[in-house]
Amino acid sequence: MKHEWKKQEKSLYLPKNKPELVTVPSFNFFTIDGKGNPNHEAFAEAIGVLYSLSYGIKMLPKKGIIPSGYYDYSIYPLEGIWDLSDEGKATQILDAHSLDKNELVYKIMIRQPDFVTTELAMDTIETVSKKKPHPLLETVKFEAIEDGLSVQILHNGPYDNEPESFERMSQFCLENNLERTKLTHREIYISDARKTAPEKLKTVLRISVK
């Protein structure tokens, strides 16, 4: 039976359009760290590298390679952990409504199935590097990340309107005696921004709390 995250993991990837508390365990990801405006070409290239690795894993059986524990699955969505540079934070202190996207700091990633070991991940990076060389492949990491106790919400609409959803999350934290443990936040892109109108975008927003 094919594992489809939209069906089997709805609580993590398709929450409701209202804040809710969830505990997110550790998962393994291919990740790339970067800085700058996500509308620029460098960000798109990083996404392309992550997908080339993810498809490299998924298509192994078609090459006659079946990793131990392999099962058919849908490739997980793109995710990102977002922060601001020190300069960007200083600017926001002066003007809370100002966001210089060139000062964004990010870790973008695609989750990998449980059967993907570190050895398999490194072999895949090496294979893709030979077939489709790209400088960013040298920066890719395979790492476990655990969000733990978190508040999340499904944000509907343009990315620039996300502050409205974050405000609702902040209110939820206040009402439930929860406190953010990090200034960073996670975004999970359920929609493909290249093919979806801004008003129809669906994005999971998640913050770690205690």
Side-chain angles (χ1 to χ4, degrees), residues 1-10 13-14 28-29 50-51 53-59 61 70-79 109-116 188-190:
M1 180 179 176
K2 184 176 182 178
H3 182 85
E4 300 187 52
W5 52 267
K6 283 187 177 181
K7 295 180 179 179
Q8 278 97 346
E9 300 181 79
K10 290 179 69 173
Y13 295 101
L14 292 173
N28 291 326
F29 299 85
L50 289 175
Y51 272 108
L53 293 170
S54 297
Y55 276 102
I57 296 283
K58 181 175 172 60
M59 303 306 288
Y70 183 93
Y71 52 84
D72 193 15
Y73 63 98
S74 296
I75 287 181
Y76 284 92
L78 178 74
E79 307 186 32
M109 65 197 78
I110 297 179
R111 180 181 157 192
Q112 300 303 306
D114 296 339
F115 66 80
V116 180
I188 305 175
Y189 307 102
I190 306 303

Side-chain angles (χ1 to χ4, degrees), residues 62-154:
K62 290 197 174 183
K63 299 177 182 177
I65 303 171
I66 302 179
S68 176
Y70 183 93
Y71 52 84
D72 193 15
Y73 63 98
S74 296
I75 287 181
Y76 284 92
L78 178 74
E79 307 186 32
I81 295 176
W82 294 89
D83 199 356
L84 275 171
S85 68
D86 289 342
E87 184 176 338
K89 290 174 183 175
T91 301
Q92 277 218 310
I93 289 174
L94 296 173
D95 182 0
H97 299 290
S98 173
L99 174 62
D100 183 352
K101 292 184 179 180
N102 293 317
E103 294 301 321
L104 286 168
V105 177
Y106 56 80
K107 180 190 288 289
I108 56 171
M109 65 197 78
I110 297 179
R111 180 181 157 192
Q112 300 303 306
D114 296 339
F115 66 80
V116 180
T117 62
T118 299
E119 182 180 5
L120 178 58
M122 295 301 105
D123 287 346
T124 301
I125 292 173
E126 183 178 353
T127 299
V128 172
S129 296
K130 291 177 180 177
K131 290 188 67 177
K132 297 180 180 179
H134 194 291
L136 282 173
L137 283 163
E138 298 180 5
T139 72
V140 174
K141 299 176 186 175
F142 182 69
E143 55 185 321
I145 301 175
E146 180 178 355
D147 286 350
L149 189 66
S150 305
V151 171
Q152 66 180 16
I153 190 173
L154 183 65

Side-chain angles (χ1 to χ4, degrees), residues 12 23 30 47 119 126 155 174 178:
L12 296 179
T23 300
F30 279 123
I47 293 174
E119 182 180 5
E126 183 178 353
H155 173 76
L174 190 63
L178 298 168

